Amino acid sequence: MLAAIGLESIDQLFSGIPEKLRLRRLLDIPRALTEPELLDYFKDRAARNAADYVSFLGAGIYRHHIPIIIDALISRSEFYTAYTPYQPEIAQGTLQAIFEFQTYIAQLTGMEVANASLYDGSTGVAEAMLMAQRISRKNKFLVAKTVHPEYRAVMDAYARNLGIEIQLIDYTAEGRVDMAQVERALGKDVAGIVVQSPNFFGTIEDTALISDLAHRHDALSIINIAEAVSLGILKPPRDADIVVGEAQALGVPMSFGGPHVGFLATRDRYVRQMPGRLVGMGKDYSGKRAFVLTLSTREQHIRREKATSNICTNQSLCALMSTIYLATLGPVGLAEVCEHNILKTDYAVGQIRSQTPHRVLFPAPRFNEFVVQLDDRYASRVERLMQNNIVPGLDLSRFYPELRNTLLVCVTETTRKDQIDALVKGLA
Amino acid sequence: MSSNHQRTGSHFQITERLVFEEGSPGRRGFDLPELDVPRKDVATVIDPSLLRDGIAGMPELSEVDVIRHFTRLSTWNYHIDLGLYPLGSCTMKYNPKINERVARLEGFALAHPYMPAELIQGALEVQKTLETCLAQISGTDAVSLQPAAGAHGELTGILMIRAYHQSKGNPRKKILVPDSAHGTNPASVTISGYVVENVPSDRRGMVDLEHLKKVVDQDVAAIMITNPNTLGVFERDIAEIAELMHSRGALVYMDGANLNAMMGITRPGDFGIDVLHINLHKTFTTPHGGGGPGAGPVAVKKILEPFLPYPTVGRQAGGNYFFDHDRPQSIGKMKAYNGQFGMHVRALCYILANGPEGLKEVSEVAVLNANYIRAKLKDAYAIPYDSPSLHEIVFSDRIQARKDVHSGDIAKRLIDYGFHPPTVSFPLIVPGALMVEPTETESKQEIDAFIEAMLAIAKEAEENPEIVKSAPHSTRIGRIDEASAARKPVLRWRPE
Ligand SMILES: Cc1ncc(COP(=O)(O)O)c(C=O)c1O
């Protein structure tokens, strides 16, 4: 091959690089490993993560059962080794699957249209904020303190240089967003209000009321869904303007925080302000149904600095996982999973109330998470549970210093009764 | 099409309706275990006004229905396991199967980032080791694995540049972006609150140092440069460009999408780059997944380290790893948790499988393959910039355009020959661009077959342009009427 190019050595291939910039030593990285060594290396590291603990952690990443067929299907190299479907004639598989994802998300959220995915829930809600800024041409956002704290941190990082002002809204003793405070803060300058449901404390918000209040003040209603399984049974936020969130709960492994999959849904009239890719249904020149990336004049490869977002690569394969999850469960299976989450969580709350001295905070209805406030025996209780291989939940003071000695506990359909009982016993 | 070029023909194909048009009420694909806590009516736990009344249009399917549906869809995709995928700038190389195996180990797949540090030592070690390797490969001092993809890395990097200038009292106003840059570059600049100033390329297809000397003033925060650039050309003056920027108090951002050309050959940190992003889904074989997930770590020199997104992965004196949230000058969080961990495992697996000699050979063979294609096609296709190529070569359709055959037509015709087309949408400085990046994982046979197909198409364009202009002829569907699809967008299925 070198001869065909007219060169004598590999080194000459790099003649375009000035000699003074060449690295004339080997990189200082570990020596090459063979396949058996690689397996050993990673099995050893994987074993140093405690997968065998009973975990009550949720807080934005949920442990639901993932049907086996998802991995079987997404492991087809036709799906996982293909690029973004820029050549529709040889990418109809990916395109149709994304169109199905968009439809499922629209159905679940009660919105008219959904995009092909965003990186995750946290960047999704930041993108939703920028979208609302474009639609409203206003810069102030009211954001509930019960929006996932890491999502709020990402919103801050995105907002900082764009003239956006974020005003936080407190939660009530019920564990919901303080509507009176929202009402006081709403004014002509407010672009939108951002509320999560179920919120970070697991409490279900009345999204219809929130949207109504926003609309009465000419502000947009942005509802964030971090636990997408809940949409299988909870009333969708139909009155919102943007529904944005995280679909990890729908069939995507927790995987130490990623890759997961963000979604963004809205009303038809805002579609040209949406970030991210969209797949449309059209026809080929002979009239056959066909799918294709569309409305790309919003996007960076055409609009460059005027694009609605800088996103290019998104989370297509994870969106496919969620699509297969929804196809496998169907509306009935999904509602049953929701029912198990609600009833097991309700059981856990009841047991903690009756069997332990601790307080379960926030009486509003909840989906699969709740907050327990322990007394000053907090540290010893948590330690005892950990010794029994139980991670009892998230220490909320990490994000809410006012909530000392409190745990955010998540119970899903995968949590067995004996595991709940062990948690309760450990807390008692 | 002569028979020895022909890799495609007709084969068994099943058309498939939408999932919403399949199934029937009462079918199920999944059963839950018996409920092991007391059964209650959900409406007694949650106010019924908060509950929904079914999900209109959602289908009910059996497991086999679901398997068949998605398997059939999958058969309509071209993919890297099927053949050469020469999309320039995208680095479509083979994705080793072991990556997939190790990323699925339970200890990784079930890890939760809020676990106490002592229960996630393995995951943190993987992240720290990958950071160290990427810093070494890029010649930088610190790495954040948080960004989710290349564009997200760009935004992260530019925000760090902004924080750096801010810490000196003035964030400045503009970022210089060469006209050959990928669209995400200017888009990321805008979200960072900066204004884009375009920099024209010179006759070599490189950034013009003399022009820069005139435009870099106190308002310029940085230049955002791609190297090798999107023409596959190494910016010969890169060290001088960096020196100029630094002498005027500005920084240098590098789009590292093309790192595959230079592993072990030259290092961005050594030629003056202050911050770059690295696409793990290009250079480091994490699969593209039909459009993601990717991962776009940012690598920085010491001066930018304080501004990295939090948390970073730290290591205590005793050897234990931890998430370090105590980063007072950090730009904040760019994404919840710490990045696309599943991709980090795969990328580290790839680096360890190759080692220092292996990675260097990757870049050598990637550059060899691209130059071989260049040599073989240079008479049939125009080369608008004749600077030496590294890992990719940009042709144009100038010769074929005389017969009204354009890059898009050539791309579609390649499909009939059994290949995925090259990139045709950019760089914008080349009208009718055909950007070819073979990568190192292709054999000479596969590359020769591609070259033959390209030559055959060049001949067809001369002798029978219609057949090229109406391609593809072998696919399940033909060219799509994209204009109509965009005029009246149908973005979801609805019941009739
Ligand atoms: C040169 C260049 N820069 C940036 C990007 C954006 O990367 P990503 O798609 O991972 O966001 C790409 C890839 O699409 C690219 O080719």
Side-chain angles (χ1 to χ4, degrees), chain A residues 64-70 104 108 229 232 249-251 321-339 341 413, chain B residues 19 26-32 55 58-63 66 70:
Chain A
H64 291 293
H65 178 76
I66 301 178
I68 300 292
I69 67 169
I70 296 180
Y104 270 124
L108 279 177
V229 163
L250 303 169
M321 292 176 174
S322 291
T323 306
I324 301 169
Y325 181 84
L326 291 166
T328 306
L329 269 80
V332 178
L334 190 63
E336 284 173 8
V337 168
C338 289
E339 210 178 339
N341 278 262
E413 82 282 3
Chain B
V19 72
R27 267 192 219 167
R28 38 192 316 148
F30 174 72
D31 288 317
L32 273 170
I55 305 174
M58 197 165 159
E60 294 174 58
L61 306 155
S62 70
E63 178 172 332
V66 177
F70 290 100

Side-chain angles (χ1 to χ4, degrees), chain B residues 448-490:
Chain B
D448 281 335
F450 171 75
I451 289 166
E452 268 188 66
M454 286 293 283
L455 292 175
I457 295 169
K459 193 149 176 268
E460 285 175 344
E462 269 313 303
E463 295 168 0
N464 185 9
E466 261 326 296
I467 197 167
V468 184
K469 287 167 67 175
S470 54
H473 303 283
S474 59
T475 46
R476 212 187 112 255
I477 55 153
R479 285 198 203 187
I480 294 167
D481 181 358
E482 296 189 17
S484 307
R487 210 161 29 235
K488 278 195 160 176
V490 179

Side-chain angles (χ1 to χ4, degrees), chain A residues 160-317:
Chain A
R160 193 168 295 167
N161 308 304
L162 298 176
I164 290 175
E165 182 196 343
I166 292 176
Q167 180 179 340
L168 291 179
I169 304 291
D170 287 319
Y171 50 88
T172 61
E174 251 212 315
R176 283 175 157 179
V177 62
D178 185 340
M179 296 290 279
Q181 204 181 89
V182 172
E183 181 127 38
R184 283 196 300 277
L186 274 166
K188 281 196 176 11
D189 56 338
V190 174
I193 155 158
V194 185
V195 173
Q196 176 175 322
S197 181
N199 67 28
F200 195 67
F201 300 153
T203 312
I204 301 163
E205 299 278 2
D206 191 335
T207 57
L209 266 181
I210 292 159
S211 298
D212 183 54
L213 184 57
H215 293 157
R216 275 192 278 125
H217 291 84
D218 203 18
L220 295 164
S221 160
I222 301 168
I223 302 297
N224 172 44
I225 310 282
E227 193 351 334
V229 163
S230 68
L231 288 170
I233 203 161
L234 298 182
K235 190 169 269 180
R238 270 190 203 99
D239 311 305
D241 299 290
I242 303 173
V243 181
V244 63
E246 172 59 63
Q248 175 273 329
L250 303 169
V252 181
M254 302 194 287
S255 191
F256 201 53
H260 297 162
V261 49
F263 62 84
L264 188 146
T266 186
R267 297 162 178 274
D268 280 334
R269 65 171 176 274
Y270 298 137
V271 74
R272 282 171 207 274
Q273 292 300 338
M274 283 178 98
R277 296 186 183 126
L278 285 163
V279 171
M281 181 158 76
K283 289 188 164 62
D284 75 357
Y285 283 107
S286 73
K288 275 199 223 124
R289 179 152 97 180
F291 299 89
V292 65
L293 290 171
T294 193
L295 296 183
S296 45
T297 48
R298 300 164 297 116
E299 288 183 71
Q300 46 75 27
H301 60 281
I302 314 260
R303 286 296 294 285
R304 299 177 76 87
E305 63 267 26
K306 296 195 181 67
T308 56
S309 167
N310 66 335
I311 192 169
C312 180
T313 293
N314 58 25
Q315 304 289 116
S316 206
L317 199 72

